[in-house]
Amino acid sequence: GGCKGQQPMAIIVLGGTKGHQSESFDDRSLLLQIYNAYRWKMIPNCTGRYTCRDHNVVSELSPLQMIQRAGTNDNGSYSQLQEYYLSLPGRKDPVIVVTLNTERTIGVITFVKEEEDEEVDNYKEERGFCASSVHGKTVEEQQQQCRRRHYVHTLNTPSGFQRKLEAIGIQEADYSPC
């Protein structure tokens, strides 16, 4: 038996094709709330990893903004989440890790791409400075202002999360609160 008025838990299965193993989730899990809020595509032969197909919607959102926009704040689980911003030796792009459960077995791995905007680039060539430059800023600050930051979000189930983090050189201590 269960509590009166409580919805019975449904189990949703993800994966099972394109080299992905099948994995079952409670339909109230944070992972499924995010999965259902956007369109995701399995990364072929990379079990447990999904990339967001709604790139035009989420590429300018940080991982926490993307998760919040998914409507996951309803049950308060969003407030427990934390972004871990990691610059890794030998990797041009920083990585942001957000774990979605207390066991830290599922999460969002986001790759941060910084690109110079072509329009800004053309303007700089014509004028010799960044269009948004402000007096008193260092050259580095001006260059930073000229770059556009894009986020490439991946949603990761237990079969993919740890494996990918290890593959790019991230240890659990890098994304643990302690």
Side-chain angles (χ1 to χ4, degrees), residues 113-159:
K113 307 279 186 189
E114 287 189 347
E115 306 163 1
E116 292 224 354
D117 192 328
E118 275 185 41
E119 288 177 33
V120 171
D121 229 20
N122 295 340
Y123 190 89
K124 276 192 341 196
E125 282 175 28
E126 290 169 24
R127 308 276 194 303
F129 60 90
C130 177
S132 57
S133 68
V134 176
H135 293 293
K137 287 199 181 276
T138 66
V139 171
E140 196 173 292
E141 286 171 326
Q142 286 183 31
Q143 285 173 342
Q144 190 65 33
Q145 218 172 16
C146 295
R147 287 195 194 102
R148 185 179 290 177
R149 184 175 272 187
H150 293 283
Y151 299 97
V152 178
H153 303 289
T154 64
L155 190 59
N156 302 269
T157 66
S159 68

Side-chain angles (χ1 to χ4, degrees), residues 3-23:
C3 299
K4 278 190 175 164
Q6 188 176 350
Q7 292 278 347
M9 181 179 75
I11 299 295
I12 308 291
V13 177
L14 296 181
T17 61
K18 294 186 182 175
H20 282 235
Q21 67 187 56
S22 297
E23 294 178 272

Side-chain angles (χ1 to χ4, degrees), residues 33-53:
Q33 290 177 44
I34 298 165
Y35 185 84
N36 290 328
Y38 304 104
R39 293 176 309 138
W40 297 89
K41 176 176 81 175
M42 286 185 215
I43 300 174
N45 300 313
C46 207
T47 194
R49 302 199 61 237
Y50 301 82
T51 185
C52 191
R53 291 174 55 200

Side-chain angles (χ1 to χ4, degrees), residues 48-131:
R49 302 199 61 237
Y50 301 82
T51 185
C52 191
R53 291 174 55 200
D54 293 324
H55 194 68
N56 58 334
V57 175
V58 299
S59 68
E60 306 222 345
L61 301 175
S62 73
L64 287 181
Q65 290 170 326
M66 186 259 309
I67 292 165
Q68 191 172 28
R69 178 111 13 124
T72 54
N73 207 6
D74 305 345
N75 57 8
S77 49
Y78 170 76
S79 61
Q80 313 298 318
L81 300 178
Q82 195 171 346
E83 286 182 344
Y84 295 92
Y85 188 94
L86 308 164
S87 293
L88 303 170
R91 287 191 75 90
K92 183 179 133 237
D93 302 323
V95 176
I96 301 172
V97 177
V98 179
T99 58
L100 300 177
N101 62 352
T102 52
E103 301 82 20
R104 294 197 288 281
T105 56
I106 58 175
V108 174
I109 302 173
T110 298
F111 299 89
V112 182
K113 307 279 186 189
E114 287 189 347
E115 306 163 1
E116 292 224 354
D117 192 328
E118 275 185 41
E119 288 177 33
V120 171
D121 229 20
N122 295 340
Y123 190 89
K124 276 192 341 196
E125 282 175 28
E126 290 169 24
R127 308 276 194 303
F129 60 90
C130 177

